[in-house]
Amino acid sequence: MKLLVEIRKKYREFDLNVGFEASGDIMGILGASGAGKSMTLRCIAGIETPDSGRILLNDRILFDSAKGVNLPSRQRKTGFLFQNYALFPHMTVGQNIAFSFAGYSAGEREERVRTQIAFMQLEGLEKRYPGQLSGGQQQRVALARALAAEPEVLLLDEPFSALDEFLRNQMVKQLIETLADYRGVTLFVTHNMEEAYKVCRNLIIMDHGRIEAIGGREEIFHRPPTLSAARITGCRNLSGACSVSNGLIEAVDWGCRLHTGMSTGKVANVGIRSDDIRLAPAMAEENVLECWPASVIEGPFRTTVYLSPNKPPKSEADCRIQWDLPGEDWLEMKEMALPWKIQLVREKLILLEG
């Protein structure tokens, strides 16, 4: 299975301009709200019509502005799981799933519904209406209905956004298991970077209607190619930077020089993830900063400390670096004399070109 998307569409907020290919592995589309993620899915499904471009599925034309082809949604063989699940409120669980089998005989339809009910672990809920189901149960019904029609493309539009954290973790696991045997193309839209990393092997990063990065999840997260991609993948610490000499940069916003061990000729920004910062070892000299805490937010398991480098803060807003550390480490840290010395290890630095 192979999906090719090359489309453009002008919206009031931005111009959607995306181009990518997707095949067997789940492809994640990650971006902030309003980035154009859902609009991309809607164009693929035929709910929205691009201004120009083409969409091919296994060399079958779904949309081609130059050739005047625009297949209606019902002919595209796509399954769409909407953010709000879009179940028919007046239909039972069984009837919602059976809707995908409209072309089958009554006996075949009943057998196929029974198979989907068992596969999605919905036994005993067949006669219930959507309003009588939990969020997780509704999601499973919607996924069963989407898969029931044996689509060649499965489009998942933020399917976990309405679930609490405990149920979300359960459904992430179930989704991965469910899709392990699915042979079509799956696009998974989310603004949650942890979900994207857990569910998808390959990622597209979108911002303001455009693709900022595309590739394997490890590469995208550990070596984001742009400032926007770094922010979207959760890099909380970013500073303007300039090259001092090859391998040495000035981190302008942090007021320090950093050894990178990499070519720095075109560097414009430097970043480090908030959980990659560490307390400097006693004899360390490279990439060590003196810092003072400007504010602290304690959680049950992790603590976030906002640091002012090089000088004590004048207010809680006077901070440049965010440090996330385990709760037990914080219990030790807060007893240490100020200033603290932290180390920005060169292997953890993210260098971004202008």
Side-chain angles (χ1 to χ4, degrees), residues 229-302:
R231 287 184 176 131
I232 291 169
T233 55
C235 184
R236 307 299 180 206
N237 299 307
L238 292 161
S239 168
C242 58
S243 179
V244 176
S245 61
N246 197 33
L248 181 66
I249 62 170
E250 181 84 24
V252 179
D253 300 306
W254 302 337
C256 64
R257 291 187 172 187
L258 299 171
H259 294 272
T260 68
M262 296 175 272
S263 175
T264 58
K266 297 181 180 179
V267 67
N269 293 276
V270 61
I272 189 167
R273 299 190 182 278
S274 56
D275 53 0
D276 281 337
I277 297 170
R278 71 176 190 179
L279 188 66
M283 303 302 292
E285 295 182 358
E286 182 180 279
N287 298 357
V288 174
L289 284 76
E290 289 189 344
C291 293
W292 286 257
S295 63
V296 177
I297 299 177
E298 295 189 52
F301 307 110
R302 298 186 67 78

